[in-house]
Amino acid sequence: MRAAERTWIAPWPCPLHQVIGVLRHGGGDPTFRRDDDGAVWRGLRTPEGTATLRLEPRPAGAAVHAAAWGDGAEWALAAVPAMLGGDDDAAGFPAHRHPVVAELARRHPHWRMPRTGLVMESLVPAVIEQKVTGREAFAGFRNLVYRFGERAPGPGAARRLWVQPDPQTLARIPSWEWLRLPVDPARSRTIVRAARLAPSLERTLAMTPADADRGLRSLPGIGVWTSAEVRFRAHGDADAVSFGDYHVARDITYALTGEELDDAALAELLEPFRPHRYRVQRLVELAGLRHPRRGPRMAPRTHLPV
């Protein structure tokens, strides 16, 4: 199988791994691989079919060389600039409104918002990650892909790269199979409903951020947190803050104020940055700033079958 190829010259020194890292769901994500030389491999389910996409950074020329295989190869190549932040405009980001944010923006001047254009790709792992530990969430997603997904085309198979299950497959998975992953009924029902409405959910890509948020949240089981997790990946929404996260509010408020505060305080703190509030969240994450982890942590559940 021959590769389709392109080289994208970014208008700035594109930090490939900073931008694309948020698309990886845990170190064992079967749809995402990184070579020792820095090349990134992704297994994609595009509107035109499955694809293996390889991205190789060439920092000397601010270029990224992309190669793709499979029925969705041309679609994947066309999506590369947006996936790496090419559609993002950070010009109006008021980083100067807080000294910590201004310093973080200075440290990461070339980071941009990715936009994959693939709603279900981000929604499925986001739903699996609802209200569980990272370890349980990543294991559930990994098991789902291995059990019901498919090998990525071309050299992706040799790289042990996989593609997520298609919506039709997701909609047919019986309840007992979800439990074996393990994904509980509340989350599996949400994914099955989403799979049955996948075309409508993908159409939110053409909506305004507010309308896309309302469209996603109209589906039972998708709330503020899940919608944000989808929108900052699939839609490139720079205002999609992960309110309701177990750590995000405390991490950001601790980084900016020295205190661990709740979602209400976070919303007030981020209000001056609207419509760029997610940029603050991601800059804090890129800097590795976290509130002190002390006391009991959320424990993985043990009552689901394995």
Side-chain angles (χ1 to χ4, degrees):
M1 183 182 294
R2 294 186 61 182
E5 301 182 59
R6 71 174 293 181
T7 297
W8 178 57
I9 308 295
W12 69 94
C14 177
L16 171 66
H17 301 112
Q18 283 188 6
V19 175
I20 209 170
V22 75
L23 305 181
R24 188 177 197 173
H25 296 274
D29 184 344
T31 69
F32 193 113
R33 304 293 187 202
R34 179 174 174 177
D35 290 345
D36 292 339
D37 64 1
V40 171
W41 296 75
R42 298 199 66 217
L44 304 175
R45 185 173 298 284
T46 80
E48 298 176 3
T50 61
T52 290
L53 176 65
R54 182 181 185 273
L55 300 170
E56 179 189 352
R58 296 180 177 174
V64 175
H65 181 262
W69 298 261
D71 292 340
E74 295 296 339
W75 189 98
L77 290 182
V80 165
M83 190 184 301
L84 299 184
D87 289 351
D88 184 33
D89 182 7
F93 179 40
H96 65 278
R97 292 184 177 175
H98 194 287
V100 173
V101 178
E103 174 59 20
L104 295 179
R106 186 191 66 79
R107 292 184 194 176
H108 303 283
H110 304 304
W111 173 80
R112 295 291 185 273
M113 290 285 306
R115 184 184 189 276
T116 65
L118 298 169
V119 172
M120 287 298 293
E121 177 190 79
S122 294
L123 189 146
V124 171
V127 171
I128 292 176
E129 291 166 16
Q130 291 175 349
K131 299 180 181 179
V132 295
T133 64
R135 180 179 178 181
E136 182 179 348
F138 298 150
F141 176 64
R142 187 168 61 245
N143 292 338
L144 172 68
V145 174
Y146 283 146
R147 187 165 180 83
F148 297 102
E150 60 187 282
R151 292 281 192 176
R159 299 296 307 158
R160 306 189 311 280
L161 193 68
W162 289 71
V163 178
Q164 287 192 39
D166 60 44
Q168 294 77 17
T169 299
L170 291 169
R172 292 195 300 265
I173 299 174
S175 58
W176 59 86
E177 292 286 1
W178 286 105
L179 289 171
R180 290 172 180 166
L181 294 177
V183 174
D184 63 48
R187 291 178 293 154
S188 64
R189 283 194 297 266
T190 298
I191 294 174
V192 170
R193 279 193 293 260
R196 291 171 178 164
L197 296 172
S200 297
L201 296 176
E202 297 293 345
R203 285 196 287 271
T204 63
L205 293 163
M207 298 178 181
T208 65
D211 286 344
D213 182 33
R214 282 191 288 270
L216 290 168
R217 290 168 60 187
S218 68
L219 188 70
I222 298 180
V224 174
W225 182 87
T226 306
S227 173
E229 292 284 312
V230 173
R231 286 182 291 118
F232 69 66
R233 293 181 173 97
H235 299 70
D237 186 348
D239 206 45
V241 181
S242 300
F243 291 113
D245 189 271
Y246 192 68
H247 292 296
V248 166
R250 285 183 286 175
D251 284 345
I252 298 174
T253 57
Y254 185 79
L256 272 56
T257 72
E259 298 182 79
E260 299 175 43
L261 304 174
D262 60 13
D263 275 347
L266 176 63
E268 183 177 353
L269 188 62
L270 293 183
E271 186 61 28
F273 298 97
R274 190 188 290 270
H276 297 274
R277 294 176 298 170
Y278 174 72
R279 295 188 197 278
V280 178
Q281 176 180 327
R282 188 58 182 152
L283 286 171
V284 168
E285 292 169 350
L286 288 172
L289 301 179
R290 298 179 176 87
H291 69 88
R293 273 29 174 195
R294 55 178 177 265
R297 296 187 178 185
M298 181 186 290
R301 296 166 302 160
T302 57
H303 63 279
L304 296 177
V306 294

